[in-house]
Amino acid sequence: MPAFTATAPAKIILFGEHAVVYGRPAIAVPVTSLQARAIVRPEPRAPHGQVRLVAAAIGLDALMEELNPDHPLRRVVELTARELGAAYLPACQINIQSTIPVASGLGSGAAVSVAVIRALAAYLGKSLPDEVVSTLAYEVEKIYHGTPSGVDNTVIALRRAVYFLRGQAIQPLRVGRPFTLLIADSGIPSPTATTVSEVRAGWQQNPAFYEQRFDQIADIVQQARLLIENGQPEQLGDLMNRNQILLQEVGVSSPELERLIATACQAGAAGAKLSGGGRGGNIIALVDEWSAATVSESLWKAGAQGIILTTVQ
Ligand code: MEV
């Protein structure tokens, strides 16, 4: 019996995290060197409709109905089966593997959802449009944190750079000239749900302060979009630094992230900022062929727990 496999990339947010939850735009890109993978294997001898979910990395090996109805993996399988018009799935085992670190702002949850959706669709001999894959994954994102903007599931389902505005049709972003980023992991896990709810608490207390920062971030995103489309990525560094200051002001940076960002800039990066929910997780630094090695070495020395070089194209 054949197995049906699908993969989905990680993602980083270049500009606009947090503000995007409040209706401002964001720019996000896939990171294909990190991937979630779902493998669906038919189990013809198992009772009809029996689905076994296996994710060795989190110690999961269970029948689907044994899981809480709100378990993200149960939810994604049920939503996908419903979307595909399958009252029962032919018995199978779904194996999930991922090289994307969790709770680090790289979209691990959305990537697992997208991989499972596509592998299940293939198992049933169908394929789903990117928009539908994204919408299904968004439903699962709501379990991870109540008010996701939808940027993670969108960029991961689309597998290319996006200019994202909540509630609007997916807008792929044309990259006029490729550019290179270093993604450095602080090693501090930081679930997006936590920072998103802290920002919400702050916003509720002082909406004017937060709205003003979100507007400034929106302005930066618009400028960044033009530079990316027009093939002037070397000018993005200044916008990254300005976005970072605003993220500090809304309270999602941390001394560890600030240290990595300062290190990257001192070593020759054109700009750097946190990416994703913040507090822990990853920073991104804009480098070129001359600065990449020096910046990378300095980040390791400053305590980065992992570094990825990625080209945005
Ligand atoms: C998470 O990758 C980005 C945030 O803006 C949350 C969201 O957009 O849902 C922090």
Side-chain angles (χ1 to χ4, degrees), residues 80-105:
T80 309
R82 195 190 310 153
E83 179 67 35
L84 293 166
Y88 286 100
L89 287 170
C92 61
Q93 174 170 317
I94 306 174
N95 206 295
I96 292 141
Q97 301 155 5
S98 177
T99 57
I100 308 173
V102 294
S104 62

Side-chain angles (χ1 to χ4, degrees), residues 11 13 16-21 105 145 147-152 192 196 276-277:
K11 73 94 203 359
I13 298 199
E17 49 275 273
H18 287 290
V20 69
V21 177
H145 71 97
T147 57
S149 65
V151 63
D152 288 17
T192 302
V196 167

Side-chain angles (χ1 to χ4, degrees), residues 126-150:
K126 303 193 176 163
S127 88
L128 293 168
D130 292 345
E131 287 78 4
V132 176
V133 172
S134 176
T135 305
L136 293 172
Y138 180 70
E139 288 306 309
V140 184
E141 287 292 280
K142 288 188 203 162
I143 303 175
Y144 291 113
H145 71 97
T147 57
S149 65

Side-chain angles (χ1 to χ4, degrees), residues 11 17-18 104-105 190-192 195-196 199 252-253 274-280:
K11 73 94 203 359
E17 49 275 273
H18 287 290
S104 62
S190 175
T192 302
T195 49
V196 167
V199 170
V252 294
S253 195
L274 68 82
S275 177
R279 199 66 51 71

